[in-house]
Amino acid sequence: GENGVKFVYLPHDTSKKIQTVCLPSRLVKALGPAGDIIPTYVKSFFADGRSIDEKIFKDQAAKQNLLGGDMEKFAANAKEGKLATVSEGEPAATAKEEEKKTTTLSSSSLMNATAGGSTETFPLVRPSKTNKNEGVYIYLDEVGMLKHLPLNTRASQLAQQCGYHPAPNFYGDVFVGRVSSKPMLHNIDIESGDIMDTTKEWIVRAPHENVLWQQAINEATGRSGETQPNHAGTEGVAAEATGNDGCSYTWLQNEEEVELTVPLIDDGDETVNKRLIKVNFLHQKVVVKYNNECKVEVELYSKIDVDGCTWTLDKKNLVITCEKARDGEIWPRLELSG
């Protein structure tokens, strides 16, 4: 096989095997060598929303051969969400030609070439002194839930084994990679056996490592009692957001609905006139106006059921309840753009 950094492909389809894949060493050099370069490399896999199967992996390997010579064609295809491939019958590049191509490859052109997808990084365990400064991360399609990709139960189980309760939801196919933070952040090998064997030391130690990390964050921020980061607006703790007029409002969520509390007028003797309230519910947007002034216009992270949306008045606050279109979704944030 080709030399490079090994990482793991974890399909949502449980009938497909978990595979060790390779980040070619020439791309490690071109994209790095410092930093976690897996998010940049895998985002092209997420560009078109298709499931990542063996054929696409072969296409990806083939398309890397285009990078030196046909960058414009490849970049154009990547931006359109297409995966460029080498046509049948085209000669494979020789080692010397590959070397020559690598020298003409710049980081900026590679960034253009892999444009068209977006990667979210989820820490299974972060680098620290107690784990040899090695962290393990899940890389997923940032808009996988919006694309209505299937749940990846094996990724959720892996997060649960690492101490996340309840386990987060992951959508679509994901990757798992490892980094070392010493002497500077860089990718190191992880193989399929490292995530499938629950007796591996990093998995056994992960829950404790995550508790220690959260305790350190609690001390630094003055919070207490949390053992792991919660999703925004959950556990009955309201999250803050900023409205169109610059005033803040709060929101809460559970698996069925999301609730916004919007102050309509400043504290004072003035009372709220119900007739001046206008709330517009769209499939993925909520607009609140009071006295013809736009208070909130928020494009939501996911769709809502317009027929299941209501509002009530609580003194000077407008309380809006929106039913989520898909039961069981916990949104990582309120707004579509983070």
Side-chain angles (χ1 to χ4, degrees):
E2 185 171 7
N3 291 331
V5 176
K6 292 174 183 172
F7 61 112
V8 178
Y9 164 54
L10 180 54
H12 75 268
D13 183 347
T14 53
S15 69
K16 290 185 180 178
K17 66 177 184 178
I18 299 170
Q19 299 177 56
T20 303
V21 291
C22 187
L23 184 60
S25 53
R26 59 198 174 90
L27 285 179
V28 175
K29 287 174 189 168
L31 283 168
D36 183 358
I37 59 177
I38 292 176
T40 306
Y41 182 67
V42 301
K43 72 175 182 176
S44 59
F45 289 116
F46 300 138
D48 59 1
R50 286 190 296 170
S51 177
I52 304 161
D53 58 21
E54 205 167 335
K55 181 183 180 299
I56 297 177
F57 264 117
K58 285 176 182 170
D59 289 349
Q60 177 72 353
K63 99 180 164 184
Q64 302 303 353
N65 292 331
L66 289 176
L67 288 176
D70 206 349
M71 179 57 69
E72 288 76 16
K73 176 182 170 186
F74 177 66
N77 280 336
K79 282 179 181 173
E80 289 171 21
K82 296 175 187 171
L83 291 174
T85 60
V86 174
S87 302
E88 279 186 39
E90 281 187 32
T94 64
K96 280 203 167 181
E97 285 170 339
E98 285 300 314
E99 192 176 319
K100 188 179 174 187
K101 285 179 185 178
T102 305
T103 59
T104 64
L105 194 60
S106 71
S107 283
S108 60
S109 61
L110 242 174
M111 290 291 277
N112 289 334
T114 53
S118 53
T119 310
E120 184 179 334
T121 305
F122 179 91
L124 291 171
V125 64
R126 296 167 179 81
S128 68
K129 288 177 185 174
T130 54
N131 61 21
K132 303 180 194 167
N133 302 297
E134 293 179 4
V136 179
Y137 294 84
I138 286 179
Y139 307 92
L140 60 146
D141 188 337
E142 189 175 32
V143 289
M145 188 169 78
L146 293 179
K147 291 178 182 174
H148 301 302
L149 299 182
L151 278 168
N152 192 320
T153 53
R154 291 186 293 194
S156 293
Q157 284 164 6
L158 183 59
Q160 199 162 28
Q161 284 157 358
C162 292
Y164 286 88
H165 301 285
N169 288 337
F170 299 98
Y171 296 88
D173 299 339
V174 304
F175 298 90
V176 182
R178 181 181 268 153
V179 299
S180 172
S181 62
K182 297 290 181 182
M184 57 186 177
L185 189 69
H186 64 284
N187 295 106
I188 57 175
D189 288 347
I190 188 167
E191 299 187 33
S192 55
D194 293 320
I195 70 166
M196 293 166 75
D197 180 358
T198 55
T199 65
K200 289 284 182 183
E201 188 184 358
W202 81 267
I203 295 179
V204 173
R205 293 178 61 95
H208 182 59
E209 303 279 359
N210 284 325
V211 168
L212 290 178
W213 180 86
Q214 189 61 52
Q215 285 172 350
I217 292 295
N218 290 347
E219 285 172 23
T221 58
R223 290 184 299 177
S224 62
E226 287 186 28
T227 55
Q228 70 177 53
N230 289 319
H231 285 291
T234 59
E235 306 294 326
V237 181
E240 284 209 7
T242 306
N244 286 43
D245 58 357
C247 293
S248 64
Y249 63 96
T250 58
W251 68 283
L252 285 163
Q253 67 167 325
N254 58 30
E255 291 185 347
E256 285 81 39
E257 58 188 31
V258 59
E259 182 184 278
L260 284 66
T261 302
V262 183
L264 294 178
I265 53 176
D266 296 329
D267 288 337
D269 296 331
E270 191 184 348
T271 54
V272 173
N273 184 340
K274 257 191 169 181
R275 292 178 189 170
L276 299 178
I277 300 171
K278 284 185 181 173
V279 182
N280 194 8
F281 296 110
L282 303 171
H283 286 299
Q284 205 165 337
K285 194 176 192 179
V286 175
V287 182
V288 178
K289 290 184 179 179
Y290 182 69
N291 198 14
N292 290 324
E293 182 188 348
C294 187
K295 295 297 229 179
V296 171
E297 184 175 349
V298 57
E299 197 171 347
L300 300 167
Y301 183 84
S302 192
K303 288 182 180 177
I304 55 175
D305 180 356
V306 174
D307 295 330
C309 296
T310 59
W311 63 266
T312 57
L313 200 57
D314 179 16
K315 296 175 185 171
K316 295 176 183 181
N317 294 325
L318 182 70
V319 180
I320 298 164
T321 305
C322 301
E323 198 175 301
K324 292 178 178 177
R326 296 176 75 203
D327 275 357
E329 277 188 349
I330 292 293
W331 300 354
R333 53 182 182 268
L334 178 66
E335 297 187 53
L336 178 60
S337 57

